[in-house]
Amino acid sequence: MKLFRTELLKLKNTFALWLTVSGALFVPLILFITYLSDIKAFLPGQGVNPWNDFLIRTLNGCCFFSAGFVLLIVGLIIHIEHQANAWKHLFSLPISRGCIYLGKLMIIVAMVIAFFTLYLSFAVGAGLALGYLVPAFGFSKIPVPGLHLFRFISEFLISILPMVLLQFWLSFRFKNMITSLAIGLGGLISGLLLKGWQYIIFLPYAAPFRMLNYTEGVGTSRQNFYLLSAVYVVLLLVLSYKDFTKKFRG
């Protein structure tokens, strides 16, 4: 826990915290403004749950925007040490390399979870505010589908963990942050363009786009997808941990 608090303090005067908050606010704010700018176009039909359409837009926005956020936040956190040439100082401390690895990884995962939590909180807040400002939208008349949101965020976190770990590995291996970002961006573009390919499931960067137009229910293909994600997580954890503790010199 001391390492985690130390890593959190390092972020205090960096862009990482602002990126987490502003990034989480961006899409909900755009949706809020869009709904208010063309009220008639977004009025639900008789008996239609207004949250359905709103959440499809919200969750699809999360699938696209969170992928870029992961690339940036991982790069920014690891770049702190690269920029200050601080790796050798860290390795000279009476702390095992394994603890340093876990401390870095924990703060990255915590920031990713914080982003999703803020994102969905802002989105729900935007919907409730729209229901208050324009009662005809009907948001205030129907409960927020909290269970649906919880299932989405749980499944989405499982799906993107391999991408988080892969970017984490690339970021400490490449001192130049642009290099790891370019590889990640190339992976995301490939994942988006080839998302209909039958073997795209094996590309970790395609995971966010497999969650587009999210619906509940776990079919065989989704079960296989989560099983593959678990295999990737274990494999990447073992390989990156071994590389960091045995070979990485900073």
Side-chain angles (χ1 to χ4, degrees):
M1 289 305 296
K2 286 184 178 180
L3 268 178
F4 182 82
R5 288 195 295 269
T6 301
E7 293 295 335
L8 192 58
L9 286 173
K10 288 181 182 179
L11 301 181
K12 186 177 180 181
N13 296 318
T14 68
F15 182 62
L17 291 177
W18 289 106
L19 175 65
T20 303
V21 177
S22 60
L25 179 61
F26 182 75
V27 173
L29 181 60
I30 293 298
L31 279 174
F32 180 79
I33 295 172
T34 302
Y35 267 65
L36 285 183
S37 65
D38 193 0
I39 294 175
K40 290 184 179 180
F42 294 102
L43 288 177
Q46 186 69 28
V48 175
N49 187 339
W51 287 106
N52 292 340
D53 183 64
F54 184 77
L55 288 183
I56 287 176
R57 299 174 191 274
T58 297
L59 301 184
N60 282 348
C62 182
C63 292
F64 281 104
F65 202 70
S66 63
F69 169 80
V70 166
L71 299 187
L72 287 172
I73 199 66
V74 174
L76 285 171
I77 290 174
I78 301 303
H79 188 62
I80 293 174
E81 310 300 343
H82 286 312
Q83 190 177 33
N85 292 317
W87 288 114
K88 291 182 180 179
H89 171 70
L90 280 177
F91 294 153
S92 68
L93 297 175
I95 305 171
S96 69
R97 286 181 174 230
C99 288
I100 295 173
Y101 172 93
L102 291 175
K104 289 289 183 186
L105 184 57
M106 283 174 60
I107 197 66
I108 287 172
V109 172
M111 294 299 286
V112 171
I113 293 175
F115 171 83
F116 288 138
T117 302
L118 287 171
Y119 183 96
L120 294 182
S121 297
F122 288 144
V124 170
L128 294 175
L130 286 169
Y132 175 78
L133 294 172
V134 185
F137 280 139
F139 289 108
S140 57
K141 300 175 183 177
I142 300 176
V144 179
L147 186 58
H148 179 77
L149 291 174
F150 177 76
R151 286 174 176 166
F152 169 82
I153 202 64
S154 300
E155 294 181 28
F156 195 76
L157 279 171
I158 293 171
S159 71
I160 68 164
L161 271 179
M163 184 178 74
V164 172
L165 287 167
L166 186 53
Q167 278 302 124
F168 176 57
W169 193 1
L170 290 172
S171 294
F172 72 72
R173 260 303 168 190
F174 292 103
K175 190 170 184 178
N176 188 342
M177 188 172 71
I178 301 301
T179 304
S180 60
L181 286 178
I183 295 173
L185 186 59
L188 289 178
I189 293 173
S190 300
L192 180 59
L193 294 179
L194 301 174
K195 64 185 178 70
W197 185 38
Q198 60 177 331
Y199 298 115
I200 197 63
I201 187 176
F202 296 104
L203 178 66
Y205 293 101
F209 310 120
R210 293 181 60 84
M211 298 290 288
L212 290 170
N213 300 315
Y214 172 78
T215 55
E216 295 182 28
V218 181
T220 303
S221 61
R222 194 176 289 184
Q223 286 178 334
N224 293 336
F225 175 54
Y226 296 145
L227 178 61
L228 181 61
S229 292
V231 172
Y232 271 149
V233 166
V234 173
L235 184 63
L236 289 168
L237 269 174
V238 171
L239 293 177
S240 60
Y241 180 85
K242 184 177 180 180
D243 185 30
F244 188 89
T245 55
K246 302 296 184 183
K247 299 179 180 180
F248 183 59
R249 293 293 178 267

